[in-house]
Amino acid sequence: MKVKQFNDRALAHYSYAIVSEDHMAIIDPSRNPQQYYAYAEEEDAKIVAVIETHPHADFISSHLQIHRETGATIYASKLLGAEYPHTTFDDGDNISLGNVQLSAINSPGHSPDSICILADDDKEKMLFTGDTIFIGNVGRPDLREKAGNMQAKREELAKSMYHTINNKFNHLPNETVIYPAHGAGSLCGKNMSDASSSTLGQERMSNWAFQEQTEEDFVNEILKDQPMIPHYFGFDVDTNKAGAVNFERSIGEAPRLVNRSQVVNQIIVVDTRAIDEFKAGHLPNSINIEAIRDAQKLETWLGAIVRPEEPFYLVVDSVKNFDKYLGRIAKIGYERQLRGILTLEHRLLKTSSTISGEELKENEANYTIVDIRNQPEVEDNKPFESSINIPLHELRERAQEVPTDKPVVVHCAAGYRSAAGSSILELKLPQVEVLDLSNDIKAFL
């Protein structure tokens, strides 16, 4: 048995290929299937199965495209309610892949339809845990439900996770290798390790979820201080349950605009250029989400700030990067609401302002300070006693809560989020000066 781990750093997403005797299975594939095709070609293997551990909320999967292009069977839990052609894969079900047996283990907790996949070739055992077991933690209770008592649903899933951790893996030995679907930085859980794999024995010793505790204590811990929930999560779950459209065809339909100085008014412009370039000049109605490095979280913040189905433009630094950035926004299924991907003419229309830490220290009372970090961050360390806390992912909807009788200063923890936050408030509060503290915040934290 040969296992290949694929790492999408921006989404902290791991997907997998298992090869045995010229046959290959893919687990939790990302939106663009080409890397799996290339690996199958490298291994001279036929892709015969693609397995979904659950309908993912934080990225779009290519399972349907892989099925259509390779003929591979899609496997998913009967509890998922999949709308695409598939074979159910639940407790007691097995797939033969060369000399490997793939077995399903229903593992509700992150979602009611989660499964883990055990790969066993009589020499070693590997457990692909999806969003159930992470390295150092377990998956957050999924928040896909759109109606009813949300807190009750979270608690119900948390209780399911408690019973999953305590009962579903007891038959597996300590040396079983753990391969999760996400790592540190993912919004699907909290406090994850930087490690990309572990063993069941190591998790039994060091992962808090495996320690002896009451159900009540477990539920309280898993529900405490979970990361934000971006707008796009429910949209991606629905898209994954139906199956996404073809990746290449979809990004190919996106309008490409070169050297532009204006676009349609009243449509949000997401500018991915470096923060300093953005502040030096940008289109009106722009929000800066810097994405000049692959690991920067364009996908997450785009899906947290812009709502599903909301039209937007995307500004990039060079025409050479059109396909790269289209691929990134397609990872969360937002390419179809794109009105155009564009580069800018040198003659720009609007600049943004910053404020130094020294100026703020000397004149703090003269400014309204908006802290756009998440609530747990603020509870841990609040550098300005009078500041207003509105997390970045809520800022567009709550901007009117910001007083406008003084200039407004925006800060986060290091300067990345405050570039987006200050640009949002510039749009929402045109009657007041908005200043970005940027990375000068470090002198206060």
Side-chain angles (χ1 to χ4, degrees), residues 76-97:
S77 171
K78 62 187 176 185
L79 302 174
L80 193 154
E83 300 168 23
Y84 46 80
H86 67 285
T87 296
T88 59
F89 195 46
D90 294 280
D91 281 339
D93 293 331
N94 297 286
I95 303 167
S96 292
L97 182 80

Side-chain angles (χ1 to χ4, degrees), residues 142-157 234 238:
D142 202 343
L143 302 179
R144 72 180 72 163
E145 292 86 353
K146 299 177 181 176
N149 186 322
M150 189 65 73
Q151 181 63 26
K153 292 179 185 296
R154 283 198 290 262
E155 291 177 359
E156 181 180 329
L157 283 169
D238 291 342

